[in-house]
Amino acid sequence: YRNNEALSQSDLKKLIVGMDAFMDDREQKMTEPMLIGSVVDTILTGAEGDFEETFYLSNFPKPSDTICEILQEVLSRTADKSLPLEDNIEILGQVINEVGYQARWKPETRINDLLKHTGYYQSLQESIGKIVISEEQSQIINTLVESLRSSLVTESLFAREKYVNNPKWDIYYQLPIFWTMDGIPCKGLLDIVIVRKNDDGKVIDVIPFDLKIIMDKLLSFHNNVRLRRYDIQAAYYTDGLLLAENLPFEVTKENLRNFKFVVGSVANTGKVLICEASDDLLEVGRVGMPELIVEDRLIRQEILGYKNLLALYEYYQTQGWQEEKILYDNDNFLTLEWEKLYGNKV
């Protein structure tokens, strides 16, 4: 899936920011919320062995982000990755100076402070090629996994054994789908799809889910949807299922149910939530909303849906990815108002 160059919803959403954001191929730094969500997702919906192949569980507390950055940089610079931290004092001193760590301390004091974390450095050595999970993060992850597996609301989504040899129910985890829209190759990766069949084997329900872990309280998920444009993901995957080729089950407008999000919260540990995308939300994710002007004041800027973004992608493909659309179309001459910059050409 990842090697396929078709357009994913996460890449497509970068065009909301602009052409430069889409063209930026730098690897996104994994924040702690992203890490926790990725691990929970892998444990609950990944294949056997995925967790061990991707992650490494450290038995040592995770230091501050700055110290982690220093230790990771020392490891990357040393020729012999097996040498303990105390045998890389020269490199450690160089990195400390470059980062500017505790600049008012004496050099030996700074080095001794870093040497308190030899255990974590050993974890980095043992986890080369993997992502390190600290003890604290592991406790949070285990609590989230247990709550999702045990809650009456969600336990059936992760009880794989219930679907084995069950003629009326199938469940698919990490299901890749591929389709073409307006001549553009598209792709999606669905966390969970449940398929229900009647006695004759005809599909009567196709129910897609995506697992989300948030750091805030459960009811703040609505804000996350708007901030991260999960409406686009829901609409993109919904329409993708209807257009996808070579699926192991039949999908029609009649049997496809509204997209759902399974939400776990670090702030509300032990509680879970299922949110179903309404038809209206899916339509916003699909075609967006126009700007709202009341009494000559801009109340809401235009909100783009995935179809608008596909048209923008096609525009840049034709343009050759030379310059941001608003600059290119207006010869770099814009009107400045309080709410935004406007183009002048029609």
Side-chain angles (χ1 to χ4, degrees):
Y1 171 84
R2 303 192 187 285
N3 293 330
N4 190 297
E5 295 184 357
L7 202 56
S8 69
Q9 59 89 23
S10 56
D11 283 337
L12 192 59
K13 285 191 293 190
K14 294 177 183 178
L15 284 173
I16 297 174
V17 179
M19 182 194 76
D20 288 341
F22 185 89
M23 298 291 288
D24 187 353
D25 59 359
R26 288 176 296 180
E27 187 174 349
Q28 185 179 11
K29 182 180 179 181
M30 181 171 283
T31 62
E32 183 168 60
M34 291 170 60
L35 171 61
I36 291 172
S38 178
V39 177
V40 172
D41 206 350
T42 301
I43 293 173
L44 292 174
T45 69
E48 185 176 352
D50 282 356
F51 175 83
E52 293 77 10
E53 183 180 327
T54 308
F55 302 101
Y56 175 88
L57 180 58
S58 171
N59 294 319
F60 300 93
K62 183 178 182 292
S64 69
D65 289 346
T66 302
I67 292 176
C68 287
E69 179 186 344
I70 291 171
L71 296 177
Q72 187 65 64
E73 182 61 23
V74 171
L75 182 61
S76 69
R77 292 188 188 186
T78 182
D80 187 348
K81 307 297 182 189
S82 65
L83 286 177
L85 182 61
E86 53 266 30
D87 288 350
N88 286 299
I89 296 298
E90 183 177 350
I91 297 176
L92 178 59
Q94 291 172 356
V95 177
I96 287 174
N97 288 331
E98 291 171 10
V99 172
Y101 177 70
Q102 300 294 1
R104 295 184 179 183
W105 292 4
K106 294 179 180 180
E108 59 269 24
T109 304
R110 293 190 286 172
I111 287 175
N112 288 334
D113 190 59
L114 267 293
L115 289 177
K116 295 176 184 177
H117 303 283
T118 55
Y120 188 79
Y121 183 79
Q122 183 181 344
S123 296
L124 293 177
Q125 291 175 300
E126 295 173 352
S127 65
I128 292 176
K130 298 182 180 181
I131 301 171
V132 177
I133 305 169
S134 70
E135 283 183 309
E136 298 92 333
Q137 291 168 335
S138 179
Q139 291 172 4
I140 294 171
I141 289 163
N142 290 337
T143 302
L144 287 165
V145 169
E146 179 59 28
S147 64
L148 287 160
R149 281 178 169 163
S150 60
S151 169
L152 293 176
V153 178
T154 56
E155 62 90 17
S156 63
L157 297 174
F158 307 109
R160 302 185 186 215
E161 67 281 357
K162 291 187 177 182
Y163 298 89
V164 177
N165 299 321
N166 188 329
K168 291 189 177 182
W169 293 89
D170 290 321
I171 191 164
Y172 299 86
Y173 296 103
Q174 296 295 312
L175 178 70
I177 60 174
F178 302 92
W179 71 99
T180 300
M181 183 172 290
D182 298 330
I184 300 172
C186 304
K187 67 178 181 180
L189 188 64
L190 290 99
D191 282 344
I192 307 168
V193 179
I194 290 179
V195 178
R196 185 166 72 96
K197 295 171 284 188
N198 63 16
D199 292 336
D200 298 326
K202 181 181 178 180
V203 175
I204 53 178
D205 289 304
V206 175
I207 315 168
F209 296 84
D210 191 79
L211 176 59
K212 300 294 185 190
I213 302 298
I214 61 174
M215 303 301 286
D216 302 327
K217 293 183 178 181
L218 282 175
L219 292 181
S220 70
F221 181 65
H222 177 258
N223 295 329
N224 289 61
V225 171
R226 298 175 68 173
L227 178 65
R228 305 187 184 282
R229 296 303 308 273
Y230 292 151
D231 56 305
I232 287 179
Q233 178 186 13
Y236 198 63
Y237 284 2
T238 295
D239 294 351
L241 278 167
L242 290 168
L243 295 172
E245 303 172 355
N246 301 320
L247 287 175
F249 48 86
E250 181 185 18
V251 183
T252 65
K253 290 183 178 180
E254 288 71 31
N255 67 25
L256 181 58
R257 304 299 164 232
N258 281 27
F259 198 90
K260 296 174 176 59
F261 294 98
V262 181
V263 187
S265 163
V266 173
N268 290 142
T269 304
K271 297 182 180 180
V272 299
L273 177 70
I274 292 183
C275 289
E276 179 178 281
S278 68
D279 291 340
D280 288 342
L281 183 75
L282 290 172
E283 193 64 8
V284 173
R286 188 174 289 117
V287 297
M289 289 192 291
E291 65 179 17
L292 177 61
I293 298 176
V294 177
E295 296 181 354
D296 296 327
R297 285 199 54 89
L298 181 65
I299 305 301
R300 180 190 67 220
Q301 293 195 17
E302 181 185 15
I303 296 172
L304 301 178
Y306 86 75
K307 289 195 173 183
N308 308 111
L309 296 174
L310 282 175
L312 197 55
Y313 173 83
E314 195 169 24
Y315 166 90
Y316 281 121
Q317 287 284 82
T318 302
Q319 185 221 76
W321 301 92
Q322 298 178 50
E323 195 172 23
E324 297 286 355
K325 184 177 188 297
I326 190 171
L327 297 176
Y328 189 85
D329 287 352
N330 292 279
D331 298 327
N332 289 69
F333 188 91
L334 304 176
T335 297
L336 176 63
E337 293 196 4
W338 183 258
E339 291 86 3
K340 61 185 290 189
L341 291 168
Y342 288 91
N344 299 290
K345 290 187 176 181
V346 178

